[in-house]
Structure formats: C-alpha cells, structure tokens
Amino acid sequence: MSDLRLEGHTIVSHYSRETRLAGVLRELQSDPDTSTVPVVLIDDQLQELPPALREQGIKFVAGDPTKESVLERAAFRSAKNAIILARDPHDPRSDHDNLAVSLTIEQLSPDIHTVAECIVPERVALLKRAGCDSVVCLAEMTSALL
C-alpha cells in the first residue's frame, strides 16, 4: 500500500481480464516510445495482481481510480499517459466509470495524455469534453472490422 515513486509512467485503470490487459501491454511494448515505460494498474475490484502480470513488471495499486488518494499512490502527477479501459467491454455502463475516472485525472493533472475506451458511440464526445485526448469506441471498431 505504499506510494510508488515513478516518473513518465503509464497508468492503466480498470482490470477486466488478464488477456485484455496483456494485449494492451503488448501494444505498449511494441511501440518504441513506450516499450520501456513502467506501467501501473489501478483497480478497485482486483485483490492482487496476477502472477503473469507481476512477472512483466507491472505495478499495482488497489483502489478506486476516481479518488485522488488512490491516484496519488500511483504517482499520477508524474505520469505521462493514462489508459482508461472499459471494466466490461459488453456493458455500456462502463462508460460512466470511464467518464468519472477521466474527469478526475484531467481535473487534477491536465498534462497527462489520456486515452479512454468507450462502448456507446454517442459518449465519445462526452469523454472528449471531459478532457480525454483520445477516445477509442469499441462499437465503432467492431463495425469497422466487420
């Protein structure tokens, strides 16, 4: 439960399952700009970090990512990026959680580059108004792939 001492790291909020997070990590590690950047996962439903993620060097902060005290433990003010994943990629209510996290991070530290996932296409504009630098809509991606 101690505070992390990091700079220039990436914060990822919400853990839905290990394979989803592993995919995000692979993308980060394949990009030369983020391949060596430390990653901190914040989640309020996960009790402990799965061993496979711990082996990859992922740091973990247990708690609600809408609370400043939890974000402080993840050294969010010195983070470069925040990735806000949908807790459940099949539940449109996940957008509400992501909006709350986005508003909190952007209000407290607007210099963080924030990317949020969203389920409902109509909420893309709302997340951008909340300060997200980028929004990825899962429904739009799925239809584009089809």
Side-chain angles (χ1 to χ4, degrees):
M1 288 299 198
S2 64
D3 293 354
L4 297 175
R5 306 267 188 252
L6 296 170
E7 282 192 28
H9 55 293
T10 297
I11 292 175
V12 177
S13 74
H14 300 141
Y15 175 89
S16 63
R17 63 182 195 273
E18 192 172 329
T19 54
R20 273 190 91 229
L21 186 55
V24 170
L25 295 174
R26 272 193 306 279
E27 289 295 321
L28 291 171
Q29 292 164 349
S30 69
D31 185 331
D33 292 335
T34 57
S35 63
T36 60
V37 173
V39 175
V40 178
L41 172 66
I42 302 174
D43 191 81
D44 58 351
Q45 295 181 0
L46 190 64
Q47 297 301 314
E48 65 179 292
L49 195 62
L53 296 175
R54 197 172 327 119
E55 289 169 10
Q56 291 184 48
I58 306 307
K59 308 292 184 208
F60 176 58
V61 172
D64 181 348
T66 64
K67 293 184 177 177
E68 186 174 0
S69 61
V70 172
L71 292 170
E72 290 288 352
R73 290 193 353 248
F76 82 105
R77 293 185 197 278
S78 61
K80 185 174 181 181
N81 303 299
I83 299 172
I84 304 165
L85 298 175
R87 182 173 304 287
D88 180 348
H90 306 292
D91 185 356
R93 291 176 296 187
S94 293
D95 289 349
H96 302 296
D97 293 335
N98 287 5
L99 179 60
V101 174
S102 300
L103 282 168
T104 303
I105 289 173
E106 288 295 333
Q107 289 299 306
L108 295 172
S109 188
D111 293 335
I112 295 177
H113 182 88
T114 307
V115 178
E117 235 178 12
C118 120
I119 310 297
V120 179
E122 292 79 17
R123 294 196 184 120
V124 170
L126 186 60
L127 283 159
K128 286 188 177 181
R129 281 195 300 271
C132 289
D133 298 289
S134 197
V135 179
V136 177
C137 182
L138 297 177
E140 289 176 353
M141 283 180 43
T142 301
S143 61
L145 288 172
L146 290 174

